[in-house]
Amino acid sequence: MAHEDNAQKSWVSRICYAIGNLGQAAYYNALSTFFVTYYAAQTLFRDYEESEAKAMIAIITALVFIIRIVEIFIDPLLGNLVDNTTSRFGRFKPWQVIGGVGSSILLFAIFTGLFGLVNVNKGVFIVVFVIVFVVLDVLYSLRDISYWGMIPALSSSSQERSVYTALGTFTGSIGYNGVTAIVVPVVGFFGALAGAGSESQEGWTGFGAVIAILGIATCLAVAFGTHEEESALRDPSDKSNPLQAFQAIVRNDQLLWVSLSYVLYSIANVATTGFMIYLFKFVLQKPGIYWVVGIIAFVIGLAVTPLYPAINRRVPRRYLYLGGMVLMASAYVLFILFSSNLFVVFVALVLFYLPATCIQMTAILTITDSVEYGQWKTGKRNEAVTLSVRPMLDKIAGALSNSIVGFVAIAAAMTNDVDPALLTTGNIETFKTAAFYAPLVVIILAFIVFARKVTLTEVKHGEIVSILKQNLARPDAAED
C-alpha cells in the first residue's frame, strides 16, 4: 500500500513539475525574443518620430543588456538564498510562488508600455522601466533557479533525473515554441478585438496578459504538486554563506566547462531565433507564414523530448550533444547559402531545431550531476547555487542576443515597419552576418569546448554518488 502511495505521489510530482516549465519557457521566449520585437520593430515607440524612436530603441536595448549582465552576478546569491531556505513547504516551493507570480505581473506591465507611461514622459518611463525590469529579472531568476534546483531534491538517480528533465524540457518546448506559433494570431486577435489593427499596442497588451496568466497558473502547479525526496545526501542543516556560493561555482571545473559550452550554444540559438521573424519579413518577404517556424519547432520538440531518456540509454549524452552541434552547423550553412529560398529555409529550420532538445537536456543534466561532483570534490553540497548557473547562462545569452538583435535591426534598417523593397544589399548582408555567420562560429566554439573539456558522464556520476553514500554511511563521516 505504501509502495502504491509513493508511486502515485511520484507521478503527481512528475506531472506538476512538467506543467511548471510550460509557463516558464513561454515566459522566457516572450521576454527574450518577442519583447525585443515589440519595442524594436513594431509597436512601443510607434507614436514617436523616427529619430526619437531609434534613439529610444538604442537606449532600451543598452539598458536591457546592462541590467541582465549585472544581474548575472546576483544569481549565485539568489541560489544561496534558496539553498538556505527552511520552511514547512520545503526549500524551493516558496520561491516558485513569489518568483512566478511577481515576474508574471511585471511582464504584463512592460507589454503595456508600463500602462501607457511611454507616451506620457520619456524620462520617467526610462527610470520606471529600469526599476521594473530589474525586479522582474530577479523574480524570474528566483523562479527559474528554484525550478531547476529542485531536480536534485526530487531524486539522486541520474535516470530519474533524466525523466524529470525530459518532462520539463518537453513541456518547455511546447511553451517556448508555442509562443512562436501563437504570437502573431494572438496579437492580431486582441488588436482586432479592440478595433486597433493587427500590430497594435492593444494586441501586444493582450499577448502579455496571456503569458502572465499562464506563468502564474503553472508556477502554482509546481508549488502545490511536487514532492521533495528525503536523502542522506541532503542535510537541511548544511548552510553556506554568499562567499561560499561563489566558491562552489569556481571550484567546480565540470560545471564551468559545460556552462561555457552551453552559453555559447544559447547565444547562437537565441540570437538566430530572434532574427527569424526578420528573415521572413524582410528577406523572404512572407511575414504571414512566419508562424510555420513555431510549428516546426513545436512538432520537433513534441516528438524528440519524450524519447530522450530512451535514446540516452543507448547513446551517451556526450555524443547526443556533439552530434546536435554538427546538425546546427549544417543548418547555418543552408541559411547562409539559400536564405532567399523558402523550401531550403524550412529544411534548415528542421536541422536547426532537431538537436535542440538533446543539447539542452544534456547540458541541464550535466549541470545537475555536477551537484554531486562538487559535493565529492569540495565536501559541500550546493543544489540551488549550482543550478543557478543555468539561468545565469540564459541571462547572458538573452542579454547578448537581445542587444545583437536590437542594434542589428537599427544597422540593417529593419525598424518601424520599413518597406522591405527599400532595403539594400548591404542591409541584407549586415543581417545575415549577425543572424547566421557569427552564430555558426559560436557553435563551432561550443563544440570544441565540450569535446575537449567536459568529462562528467553518466557513469562517472554514478560512481561519485556511490562514493558519497558510502562515505556518509561511515561512523567517522562527520569528521571527514
Side-chain angles (χ1 to χ4, degrees):
M1 190 69 174
H3 176 73
E4 291 179 0
D5 289 342
N6 289 335
Q8 183 178 4
K9 187 180 293 184
S10 175
W11 274 105
V12 170
S13 185
R14 289 176 179 178
I15 292 169
C16 290
Y17 185 82
I19 289 172
N21 207 30
L22 180 71
Q24 187 164 295
Y27 182 105
Y28 176 74
N29 196 12
L31 182 64
S32 64
T33 301
F34 295 107
F35 178 62
V36 182
T37 303
Y38 166 62
Y39 78 74
Q42 298 284 342
T43 305
L44 184 58
F45 303 116
R46 178 164 288 176
D47 292 339
Y48 286 46
E49 294 293 333
E50 184 176 354
S51 59
E52 285 184 314
K54 287 186 176 181
M56 289 296 285
I57 290 170
I59 290 170
I60 295 299
T61 299
L63 286 173
V64 169
F65 175 78
I66 293 168
I67 291 168
R68 303 203 87 177
I69 291 298
V70 169
E71 288 195 359
I72 288 167
F73 301 100
I74 298 176
D75 281 354
L77 302 180
L78 298 179
N80 184 249
L81 174 64
V82 174
D83 271 336
N84 289 337
T85 297
T86 303
S87 78
R88 66 189 184 93
F89 302 107
R91 187 175 293 176
F92 304 97
K93 295 180 181 181
W95 301 112
Q96 278 292 294
V97 176
I98 295 170
V101 174
S103 62
S104 295
I105 292 171
L106 293 180
L107 180 76
F108 170 69
I110 66 173
F111 271 106
T112 66
L114 296 181
F115 303 102
L117 181 61
V118 65
N119 294 319
V120 175
N121 188 305
K122 286 185 286 187
V124 174
F125 168 77
I126 290 173
V127 171
V128 176
F129 174 82
V130 170
I131 296 170
V132 169
F133 201 88
V134 167
V135 176
L136 172 153
D137 226 22
V138 169
L139 290 174
Y140 171 73
S141 292
L142 283 167
R143 176 181 181 174
D144 203 21
I145 291 167
S146 61
Y147 181 80
W148 294 108
M150 189 181 290
I151 292 180
L154 297 174
S155 177
S156 61
S157 163
S158 276
Q159 185 173 349
E160 182 66 11
R161 287 177 180 181
S162 73
V163 172
Y164 274 103
T165 305
L167 289 170
T169 306
F170 176 67
T171 53
S173 176
I174 295 174
Y176 186 92
N177 298 314
V179 169
T180 302
I182 70 168
V183 59
V184 172
V186 166
V187 172
F189 171 78
F190 283 103
L193 197 64
S198 61
E199 296 182 353
S200 63
Q201 175 60 63
E202 289 83 356
W204 283 103
T205 297
F207 171 75
V210 169
I211 302 301
I213 292 169
L214 181 64
I216 292 171
T218 53
C219 77
L220 294 179
V222 177
F224 290 101
T226 55
H227 175 70
E228 292 185 27
E229 178 187 78
E230 297 298 327
S231 169
L233 297 177
R234 304 182 67 235
D235 183 357
S237 65
D238 191 15
K239 306 295 184 182
S240 60
N241 59 48
L243 178 60
Q244 290 172 323
F246 285 102
Q247 289 176 337
I249 294 172
V250 172
R251 296 174 66 186
N252 194 325
D253 59 287
Q254 288 301 289
L255 173 63
L256 294 177
W257 285 121
V258 72
S259 296
L260 176 58
S261 179
Y262 180 71
V263 77
L264 290 170
Y265 156 80
S266 296
I267 290 168
N269 180 59
V270 176
T272 300
T273 300
F275 278 121
M276 205 56 64
I277 193 168
Y278 295 89
L279 176 67
F280 277 78
K281 187 170 185 177
F282 296 108
V283 179
L284 294 168
Q285 298 185 31
K286 295 181 182 295
I289 61 172
Y290 168 71
W291 60 272
V292 178
V293 176
I295 295 298
I296 291 173
F298 176 81
V299 171
I300 290 174
L302 207 64
V304 175
T305 307
L307 299 176
Y308 182 87
I311 295 172
N312 186 213
R313 280 195 291 269
R314 293 167 175 81
V315 183
R317 293 176 196 163
R318 179 179 185 80
Y319 299 113
L320 292 176
Y321 190 94
L322 296 176
M325 294 288 177
V326 173
L327 286 180
M328 285 192 71
S330 301
Y332 279 118
V333 171
L334 292 180
F335 281 133
I336 290 167
L337 297 177
F338 304 101
S339 59
S340 298
N341 186 309
L342 184 62
F343 175 76
V344 178
V345 165
F346 283 147
V347 173
L349 285 168
V350 172
L351 293 176
F352 181 79
Y353 285 113
L354 188 61
T357 294
C358 291
I359 292 172
Q360 292 166 7
M361 288 189 60
T362 296
I364 292 168
L365 285 166
T366 306
I367 290 172
T368 303
D369 286 352
S370 71
V371 169
E372 283 78 28
Y373 177 83
Q375 186 177 6
W376 168 67
K377 187 173 182 180
T378 68
K380 191 77 173 176
R381 185 178 180 86
N382 294 275
E383 293 174 340
V385 167
T386 301
L387 272 295
S388 73
V389 170
R390 200 204 56 79
M392 283 171 60
L393 304 178
D394 285 339
K395 279 187 178 181
I396 295 171
L400 291 174
S401 61
N402 285 356
S403 301
I404 292 167
V405 173
F407 285 121
V408 171
I410 296 172
M414 295 178 175
T415 59
N416 288 334
D417 294 330
V418 66
D419 184 353
L422 298 177
L423 296 178
T424 66
T425 302
N427 294 144
I428 300 299
E429 286 304 311
T430 297
F431 164 78
K432 288 176 66 175
T433 297
F436 307 131
Y437 284 102
L440 173 59
V441 173
V442 173
I443 285 295
I444 293 171
L445 290 174
F447 178 96
I448 293 171
V449 170
F450 195 93
R452 298 192 63 178
K453 293 296 184 180
V454 178
T455 60
L456 182 58
T457 63
E458 299 94 307
V459 174
K460 180 68 174 177
H461 174 259
E463 293 172 354
I464 289 171
V465 170
S466 296
I467 292 170
L468 287 173
K469 287 182 176 179
Q470 290 171 11
N471 290 342
L472 290 170
R474 286 163 42 205
D476 59 341
E479 295 179 8
D480 290 347

